[in-house]
Amino acid sequence: MTQRVLDNWPYKPLDEVIGLCRELLEDPDFPTVKRWRESGGKVVGHFQVYFPEEIAHAAGMLPLKVRGAQIEARQAEARFGSYLCSILKTSLELALSERVKLDMFVSHPICDAARNLAAVWGRNFPYSCQILYLPQNANSKHSAKYLRHEYNRLKRDIEGVAGRTVTDDDLRNSLKVFNENRRLMHKIYAIKRDTPWLLSADEAYVLMAVGGMVPREEHNDLLKAAIPQIEARTAKPQDRIRVVFEGGFCEQPPLDLLRAISQSCYVVDDDLMIGLRYILEDVPLDGDPLFNLANAYIETSSYSPVQHDLRKPKEHMLLKRMKDSNANAAIITAAKMCEPGLDEQVAYVKMLDEENIPYFVSEFEESMTSFDHLQIQLETFVENLLFA
């Protein structure tokens, strides 16, 4: 594909670029995906949290991170039980209402609800709906080899949809693109960590998250243009506490909630859309690209409540995230009805209590429109810390 789907941002000021990214993320009609399809491109939709997007990219397809939307799940409600998180219902609603058209869908058994998503999706659409089984035991010496075979199975399915063979050189070229993309996103987070007065949590989020709905080459161009402008900002540091936001690994909080938090705190790190930057180091280009990609997931990845790795206890990883970002406190959140997120809250709170670290606990859902009560509670929490 040569036609760009994000072509109206070059030469615009940073604030306008950020505004454009925000508009794209909040538009439930996904205009960038429509432009891609109008140009003859095919789309692989993949549900949260992590997906090896390089494989779809190598086949010339657009990997679309399916993350729900702020819409009413009118049709999807009839396909699910009542007590489920919003992201499952609104993700399916996007497809049922034809706001998003896919050529393939891939889900993951990250929780009891999500493990049935591909089957529900498949009963409603004629295209391929697959489950990608990431290793349940990441500590096994066979996990990388197993995952390499699972990636190869996925590659064959994608080749069938794309109508072309994916070679090792195709994969290496995609690894190179995504390695650069992760480096750029890590740079965004380094700015947020080291000079958070230059980049608020909601601004960093939209710059990062838009990558899940555009070709990654275009996202790289956007970030390379935005980073120098961010660094050139002249804002001065204010007397705000530094916090880590934990709980945005799957369902995403509304942007206005992030903006409200940013008015009281510096969010110096978070797990929002963690799947886009789950791999922490460059994936090697030499050797078997599928094995390298699988091994990177096992050995050089971040953490989330849906990856079970005894080497990375979640509460200890949160503590490390806080220390690395010099955070004073934590905001521990979970989406309503999110079993993995709510389970981890117990371990997080226990650890924070033991370490005598201040924290603020809350729940959210993507359809929230009013944050007055939550903002008052948060401001009280911040004031108590500042004047303690």
Side-chain angles (χ1 to χ4, degrees):
M1 298 295 296
T2 58
Q3 181 170 335
R4 299 178 68 86
V5 302
L6 190 62
D7 59 1
N8 55 346
W9 64 267
Y11 311 111
K12 288 188 175 181
L14 177 63
D15 289 345
E16 291 188 27
V17 173
I18 291 173
L20 170 64
C21 293
R22 182 184 178 105
E23 289 174 6
L24 289 173
L25 284 172
E26 293 188 319
D27 190 334
D29 292 323
F30 290 78
T32 57
V33 179
K34 282 184 169 59
R35 291 182 205 128
W36 176 266
R37 292 185 63 86
E38 288 167 358
S39 300
K42 294 184 176 181
V43 182
V44 176
H46 57 93
F47 192 67
Q48 301 273 43
V49 171
Y50 173 76
F51 177 78
E53 295 177 300
E54 291 91 334
I55 300 174
H57 180 274
M61 300 182 72
L62 176 67
L64 171 66
K65 180 166 276 295
V66 178
R67 50 178 173 75
Q70 287 188 295
I71 57 175
E72 185 178 351
R74 295 180 179 178
Q75 300 179 66
E77 285 284 0
R79 273 79 171 180
F80 292 109
S82 300
Y83 298 102
L84 293 177
C85 56
S86 297
I87 187 174
L88 289 173
K89 298 177 182 180
T90 59
S91 292
L92 182 60
E93 184 70 23
L94 287 171
L96 291 172
S97 62
E98 297 189 348
R99 291 179 170 93
V100 170
K101 294 184 179 181
L102 305 177
D103 299 280
M104 181 177 179
F105 177 72
V106 182
S107 184
H108 319 275
I110 60 174
C111 65
D112 288 341
R115 74 175 65 250
N116 297 311
L117 182 58
V120 174
W121 207 290
R123 287 199 294 267
N124 289 276
F125 298 99
Y127 49 76
S128 175
C129 297
Q130 299 287 333
I131 299 176
L132 175 64
Y133 293 96
L134 299 169
Q136 289 298 304
N137 180 11
N139 304 119
S140 168
K141 65 180 180 180
H142 305 293
S143 58
K145 182 178 179 181
Y146 156 79
L147 187 55
R148 192 263 178 218
H149 287 297
E150 185 70 358
Y151 283 178
N152 193 51
R153 178 185 67 82
L154 175 67
K155 180 174 76 75
R156 292 196 301 269
D157 291 336
I158 287 176
E159 287 173 331
V161 175
R164 54 164 290 187
T165 299
V166 175
T167 68
D168 282 356
D169 283 341
D170 291 330
L171 287 166
R172 292 188 185 99
N173 289 334
S174 294
L175 288 175
K176 186 176 179 181
V177 170
F178 279 75
N179 281 344
E180 180 182 24
N181 186 247
R182 284 185 286 266
R183 287 196 300 268
L184 290 166
M185 286 191 286
H186 292 155
K187 178 62 175 176
I188 290 287
Y189 269 71
I191 294 172
K192 195 169 73 162
R193 180 188 65 241
D194 299 335
T195 52
W197 49 90
L198 297 182
L199 189 66
S200 66
D202 55 300
E203 290 177 328
Y205 177 81
V206 300
L207 287 170
M208 170 193 64
V210 75
M213 56 194 300
V214 301
R216 211 50 61 94
E217 293 91 340
E218 295 190 39
H219 192 221
N220 288 348
D221 290 342
L222 186 147
L223 292 181
K224 283 187 287 188
I227 287 172
Q229 295 184 65
I230 297 168
E231 294 174 325
R233 281 176 160 176
T234 58
K236 302 297 182 184
Q238 299 179 5
D239 188 18
R240 298 184 183 180
I241 64 168
R242 299 168 59 93
V243 303
V244 162
F245 182 99
E246 192 81 11
F249 62 94
C250 185
E251 185 169 328
Q252 300 300 289
L255 277 173
D256 286 339
L257 176 59
L258 295 180
R259 176 177 288 179
I261 293 172
S262 295
Q263 292 174 357
S264 304
C265 314
Y266 287 138
V267 180
V268 291
D269 205 351
D270 59 60
D271 64 345
L272 297 165
M273 295 283 275
I274 190 66
L276 291 178
R277 49 197 172 87
Y278 203 67
I279 294 176
L280 301 175
E281 301 176 7
D282 281 0
V283 180
L285 302 182
D286 297 332
D288 179 355
L290 280 183
F291 180 82
N292 292 344
L293 187 58
N295 195 58
Y297 175 81
I298 300 297
E299 300 295 341
T300 59
S301 61
S302 184
Y303 70 97
S304 84
V306 298
Q307 185 194 39
H308 307 289
D309 190 333
L310 296 176
R311 299 168 298 178
K312 298 186 288 188
K314 310 302 185 301
E315 62 272 26
H316 295 163
M317 297 303 292
L318 171 59
L319 184 60
K320 182 179 185 301
R321 174 172 281 167
M322 295 188 68
K323 289 181 176 178
D324 290 347
S325 58
N326 195 27
N328 310 114
I331 297 178
I332 307 298
T333 67
K336 290 184 178 180
M337 309 294 179
C338 176
E339 181 181 349
L342 291 170
D343 281 349
E344 290 301 336
Q345 273 194 349
V346 178
Y348 290 152
V349 167
K350 182 175 183 293
M351 181 275 296
L352 293 169
D353 280 335
E354 291 173 351
E355 296 290 331
N356 198 29
I357 297 174
Y359 59 87
F360 178 83
V361 178
S362 68
E363 290 185 7
F364 68 85
E365 59 182 340
E366 60 192 6
S367 60
M368 290 175 67
T369 56
S370 176
F371 315 101
D372 292 346
H373 183 61
L374 179 60
Q375 190 165 9
I376 291 172
Q377 290 180 322
L378 181 60
E379 289 174 352
T380 301
F381 169 75
V382 170
E383 289 175 1
N384 289 339
L385 287 181
L386 288 174
F387 297 106

